[in-house]
Coordinates of all heavy atoms in Angstrom, one line a residue:
F124 N -168.6 -42.4 71.8 CA -170.0 -42.2 71.5 C -170.1 -41.6 70.2 O -169.6 -40.4 70.0 CB -170.6 -41.4 72.7 CG -172.0 -41.2 72.5 CD1 -173.0 -42.2 72.6 CD2 -172.5 -39.9 72.2 CE1 -174.3 -41.9 72.5 CE2 -173.9 -39.6 72.2 CZ -174.8 -40.7 72.2
A125 N -171.0 -42.1 69.3 CA -171.2 -41.5 67.9 C -169.8 -41.2 67.4 O -169.7 -40.1 66.7 CB -172.0 -40.3 68.1
G126 N -168.8 -42.1 67.6 CA -167.5 -41.8 67.3 C -167.2 -41.5 65.8 O -166.2 -40.8 65.5
D127 N -168.0 -42.1 64.9 CA -167.7 -41.9 63.5 C -168.6 -40.7 63.0 O -168.6 -40.5 61.8 CB -168.2 -43.2 62.7 CG -167.2 -44.4 63.1 OD1 -166.1 -44.1 63.3 OD2 -167.7 -45.5 63.1
S128 N -169.3 -40.0 63.9 CA -170.2 -39.0 63.4 C -169.5 -37.7 63.3 O -168.4 -37.5 64.0 CB -171.3 -38.9 64.4 OG -172.1 -40.1 64.4
I129 N -170.0 -36.7 62.5 CA -169.5 -35.4 62.5 C -170.1 -34.6 63.8 O -171.4 -34.6 63.8 CB -170.0 -34.7 61.2 CG1 -169.5 -35.4 60.1 CG2 -169.6 -33.2 61.2 CD1 -170.2 -35.1 58.7
R130 N -169.4 -34.3 64.7 CA -169.8 -33.8 66.0 C -169.2 -32.4 66.3 O -168.1 -32.1 65.9 CB -169.4 -34.8 67.2 CG -169.8 -36.2 67.0 CD -169.2 -37.0 68.1 NE -167.8 -37.1 68.1 CZ -167.1 -37.8 69.0 NH1 -167.7 -38.5 69.9 NH2 -165.8 -37.8 68.9
G131 N -170.0 -31.6 67.0 CA -169.5 -30.3 67.4 C -168.7 -30.4 68.6 O -168.5 -31.4 69.2
D132 N -167.9 -29.4 68.9 CA -167.0 -29.3 70.2 C -167.7 -29.5 71.4 O -168.8 -28.9 71.7 CB -166.4 -27.8 70.1 CG -165.3 -27.8 71.1 OD1 -164.9 -28.7 71.8 OD2 -164.7 -26.7 71.3
R133 N -167.2 -30.4 72.2 CA -167.7 -30.6 73.5 C -166.7 -30.6 74.6 O -166.7 -31.3 75.6 CB -168.5 -31.9 73.6 CG -169.9 -31.8 73.0 CD -170.6 -33.2 72.8 NE -172.0 -33.0 72.4 CZ -172.3 -32.8 71.1 NH1 -171.4 -32.8 70.2 NH2 -173.6 -32.8 70.9
S134 N -165.6 -29.8 74.3 CA -164.5 -29.7 75.3 C -165.1 -28.9 76.5 O -166.1 -28.3 76.5 CB -163.4 -28.9 74.6 OG -163.8 -27.5 74.4
A135 N -164.4 -29.1 77.6 CA -164.9 -28.4 78.9 C -165.0 -26.9 78.7 O -165.9 -26.3 79.2 CB -163.9 -28.8 80.0
A136 N -164.0 -26.3 78.0 CA -164.0 -24.8 77.8 C -165.2 -24.4 77.0 O -165.9 -23.4 77.3 CB -162.7 -24.4 77.1
Y137 N -165.6 -25.2 76.0 CA -166.7 -24.8 75.1 C -168.0 -25.0 75.9 O -168.9 -24.2 75.9 CB -166.8 -25.7 73.9 CG -168.0 -25.4 73.0 CD1 -168.1 -24.2 72.3 CD2 -169.1 -26.2 73.0 CE1 -169.2 -23.9 71.5 CE2 -170.2 -25.9 72.3 CZ -170.3 -24.7 71.6 OH -171.4 -24.5 70.8
L138 N -168.2 -26.2 76.6 CA -169.4 -26.4 77.4 C -169.6 -25.3 78.5 O -170.7 -24.9 78.7 CB -169.3 -27.8 78.1 CG -169.4 -28.9 77.1 CD1 -169.1 -30.3 77.8 CD2 -170.6 -29.1 76.3

Side-chain angles (χ1 to χ4, degrees):
F124 179 71
D127 295 329
S128 300
I129 302 163
R130 304 177 298 182
D132 187 2
R133 284 172 173 79
S134 63
Y137 177 76
L138 294 174

